[in-house]
């Protein structure tokens, strides 16, 4: 039976990309996006330009409202409360129900909660959506003492933005340096050291409790050290939002399990973006990705699959991050074994490469090296054998090696 209608639950990058690709690929049936936050908007600026006040809410939107009218894509403001997969029905929390031939779950992820006493009080901040960013921004006046628990991508970006807004920032993480699996040890060390060099107090420690006090909160670390702060933000990663899928009986395991077509364990339901995790035909589960481009790519794949078209080939996964005026990019995977080659300029690491035993590149990360990472991506995707000595040489243009 020809596809006549699609409901997309979640209007983040993955849901938006699925809708946009359905239309770009010629689908003329009904497309509906459901999201309690209304018009689809972009999240990466929330810890960067939006937090800094350099982007307006309007500038966060993934497309102008007029575009949705032109494309005949309905955006329903509401929260999906339950699914009836066999019938293709989505029940909304306000009592409405919508039906379609296929449903795409693009519910994203939710911040991980710190499981320590005091972490569940309403005063502890997190940063996942626009309301979180608005709340945080309103509290960031010059001199405010902000303690951030978690120095990963979001924690580090927020620390950098808060510092720029005049806050006194303390950054706490049990691991030093964090982000080794994302960018390799050398770049992780360089990036982490930038915090202290810019005036952030960096503490390696494990938070054990958060206690409200008259002027804010006191964080007690294992070992007894305490940190006083006016505001506490927790940024310790996210968990896939599988609530709807699990309730509907779909297979989940740290993500809604999907095949390479983004199809879940029910033939009527697809899942994309941060919420989805690929299960290979042999049962092995891939690591779930939590990056913007992955969200966009999986939305496109789901659209192609829904229309019975050839699946796009996206190649190695890519992400970026910005902090303290530097731009970080990574492609492929820096986590795991193999050989690590570091490229330094004037004794400072600028890029890292991970090679397998045969010398093929598996991953690359760089600071202020967008062109280099793009070339590395081509090397990974085309499985070009590379000379480690050339990778390490800052005067060798990687683009020549990628031809
Ligand atoms: C502050 C921040 C900064 C980031 N910076 C970067 C970066 O620099 N580089 C990078 O590569 N990635 C970055 N990311 C990650 C990137 O934004 C995510 O990977 C991407 O947003 C995932 O898209 P998604 O559509 O899967 O999920 P989301 O963007 O989380 O969207 C999910 C949507 O589903 C909706 N939803 C959930 N449950 C329901 C329901 N029951 N009914 C209806 N709707 C529902 C939510 O309201 C939400 O709008 C950042 C993320 C954050 C939060």
């Amino acid at each position: 039976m020809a596809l006549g209608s699609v409901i997309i639950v979640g209007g983040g990058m993955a849901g938006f990309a699925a809708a946009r690709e359905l239309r770009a690929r010629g689908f003329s049936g009904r497309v509906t996006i459901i999201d309690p936050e209304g018009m689809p908007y972009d999240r990466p600026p929330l810890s960067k330009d939006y937090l800094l006040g350099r982007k307006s809410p309007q500038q966060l939107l993934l497309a102008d409202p007029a575009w949705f009218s032109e494309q005949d894509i309905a955006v329903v403001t509401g929260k999906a409360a339950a699914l009836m997969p066999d019938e293709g029905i989505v029940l909304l929390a306000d009592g409405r129900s919508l039906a379609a031939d296929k449903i795409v779950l693009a519910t994203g992820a939710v911040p991980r909660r710190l499981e320590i006493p005091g972490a569940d009080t309403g005063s502890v901040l997190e940063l996942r959506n626009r309301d979180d960013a608005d709340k945080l921004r309103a509290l960031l006046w010059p001199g405010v003492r902000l303690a951030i628990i978690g120095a990963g991508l979001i924690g580090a970006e927020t620390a950098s933005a808060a510092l720029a807004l005049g806050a006194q920032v303390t950054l706490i993480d049990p691991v030093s340096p964090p982000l080794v699996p994302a960018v390799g040890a050398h770049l992780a060390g360089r990036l982490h050291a930038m915090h202290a060099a810019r005036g952030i107090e960096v503490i390696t420690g494990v938070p054990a409790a958060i206690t409200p006090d008259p002027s804010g909160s006191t964080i007690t670390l294992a070992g007894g050290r305490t940190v006083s702060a006016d505001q506490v933000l927790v940024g310790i990663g996210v968990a896939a939002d599988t609530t709807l899928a699990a309730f509907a009986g779909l297979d989940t395991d740290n993500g809604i399990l999907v095949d390479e077509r983004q199809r879940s364990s029910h033939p009527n339901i697809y899942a994309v973006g941060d919420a989805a995790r690929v299960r290979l035909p042999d049962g092995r589960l891939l690591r779930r990705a939590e990056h913007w481009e992955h969200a966009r790519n999986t939305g496109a794949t789901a659209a192609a699959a829904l229309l019975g078209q050839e699946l796009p080939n996206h190649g190695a996964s890519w992400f970026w991050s910005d902090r303290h005026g530097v731009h970080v990019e990574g492609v492929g995977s820096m986590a795991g074994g193999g050989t690590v080659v570091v490229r330094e300029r004037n004794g400072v690491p600028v890029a890292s490469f991970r090679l397998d035993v045969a010398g093929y590149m598996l991953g690359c990360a760089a600071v202020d090296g967008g062109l280099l990472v793009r070339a590395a991506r081509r090397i990974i995707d085309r499985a070009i054998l590379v000379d480690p000595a050339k990778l390490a040489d800052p005067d060798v243009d990687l683009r020549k090696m990628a031809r």
Side-chain angles (χ1 to χ4, degrees):
M1 196 181 72
L3 183 71
S5 53
V6 179
I7 291 176
I8 300 166
V9 181
M13 175 41 83
F16 170 75
R20 183 177 59 188
E21 280 287 320
L22 279 167
R23 286 290 183 248
R25 289 169 177 273
F27 180 59
S28 58
R30 198 156 35 83
V31 178
T32 308
I33 297 175
I34 304 171
D35 198 307
E37 297 193 76
M39 281 295 164
Y41 69 88
D42 212 9
R43 278 165 214 273
L46 298 180
S47 50
K48 310 177 185 72
D49 281 356
Y50 187 73
L51 193 57
L52 287 162
R54 295 180 190 149
K55 260 194 175 164
S56 66
Q58 193 65 25
Q59 289 171 315
L60 286 185
L61 296 180
L62 287 165
D64 199 69
W67 180 87
F68 289 91
S69 309
E70 283 157 25
Q71 296 289 318
D72 194 20
I73 296 171
V75 178
V76 172
T77 303
K79 185 174 171 67
L83 305 175
M84 296 165 66
D86 290 343
E87 297 79 5
I89 290 177
V90 180
L91 301 170
L92 272 64
D94 60 13
R96 286 179 287 174
S97 74
L98 300 172
D101 295 335
K102 301 285 179 193
I103 297 169
V104 178
L105 295 179
T107 47
V110 288
R112 281 189 196 283
R113 298 276 144 80
L114 201 56
E115 306 278 335
I116 60 172
D120 53 359
T121 61
S123 63
V124 173
L125 304 164
E126 58 189 21
L127 181 52
R128 180 70 193 177
N129 59 36
R130 193 172 42 208
D131 286 350
D132 296 336
D134 290 341
K135 192 171 168 190
L136 175 62
R137 178 70 177 89
L139 296 167
L140 289 178
W141 65 85
V144 71
R145 298 168 306 158
L146 174 69
I148 300 177
I149 299 176
L153 293 169
I154 305 272
E157 290 190 353
T158 308
S160 163
L163 190 73
L165 291 167
Q168 284 179 44
V169 184
T170 304
L171 195 50
I172 304 166
D173 198 290
V175 176
S176 181
L179 290 180
V180 172
V183 297
H186 297 80
L187 292 186
R190 173 182 168 192
L191 291 167
H192 199 49
M194 290 181 83
H195 295 306
R198 306 283 160 125
I200 290 174
E201 185 182 10
V202 178
I203 298 175
T204 303
V206 180
I210 303 174
T211 317
D213 59 39
S215 65
S217 300
T218 298
I219 302 167
T220 306
L221 304 178
R225 181 172 177 184
T226 57
V227 176
S228 294
D230 300 310
Q231 305 297 338
V232 178
L233 175 92
V234 173
I236 56 168
V238 293
D241 188 341
T242 57
T243 322
L244 275 177
F247 192 57
L250 306 182
D251 291 353
T252 63
D253 185 345
N254 182 27
I256 305 166
L257 299 185
V258 295
D259 61 15
E260 80 290 349
R261 311 175 67 76
Q262 302 299 136
R263 200 165 67 167
S264 78
S265 55
H266 192 289
N268 285 346
I269 316 278
Y270 289 65
V272 292
D274 284 8
R277 184 178 187 194
V278 171
R279 176 167 55 186
L280 297 174
D282 64 9
R284 274 182 302 137
L285 300 179
L286 298 186
R287 202 187 146 104
R288 193 172 53 76
E290 296 165 353
H291 298 309
W292 182 91
E293 193 196 53
H294 172 81
R296 193 188 63 182
N297 289 347
T298 51
T301 298
L306 282 163
L307 298 173
Q309 297 177 0
E310 192 182 331
L311 301 185
N313 182 2
H314 302 298
S317 77
W318 170 86
F319 76 93
W320 86 97
S321 176
D322 297 301
R323 82 273 295 278
H324 301 305
V326 299
H327 179 70
V328 184
E329 289 189 29
V331 68
S333 169
M334 292 299 292
T339 308
V340 172
V341 178
V342 181
R343 178 176 280 213
E344 294 186 348
R345 194 171 282 284
N346 303 323
V348 177
V350 292
S352 266
F353 308 90
R354 186 166 79 91
L355 312 180
D356 69 10
V357 281
Y360 290 100
M361 195 184 290
L362 299 171
C364 164
V367 174
D368 290 332
L371 291 177
L372 177 141
V373 172
R374 200 179 305 168
R377 184 176 208 170
R378 215 173 307 137
I379 290 170
I380 295 170
D381 288 344
R382 295 184 186 172
I384 298 171
L385 201 55
V386 285
D387 175 358
K390 287 188 177 160
L391 290 178
D393 184 345
D395 294 324
V396 171
D397 187 344
L398 212 64
R399 287 174 296 182
K400 291 195 178 127
M401 298 170 74
R403 282 187 194 132

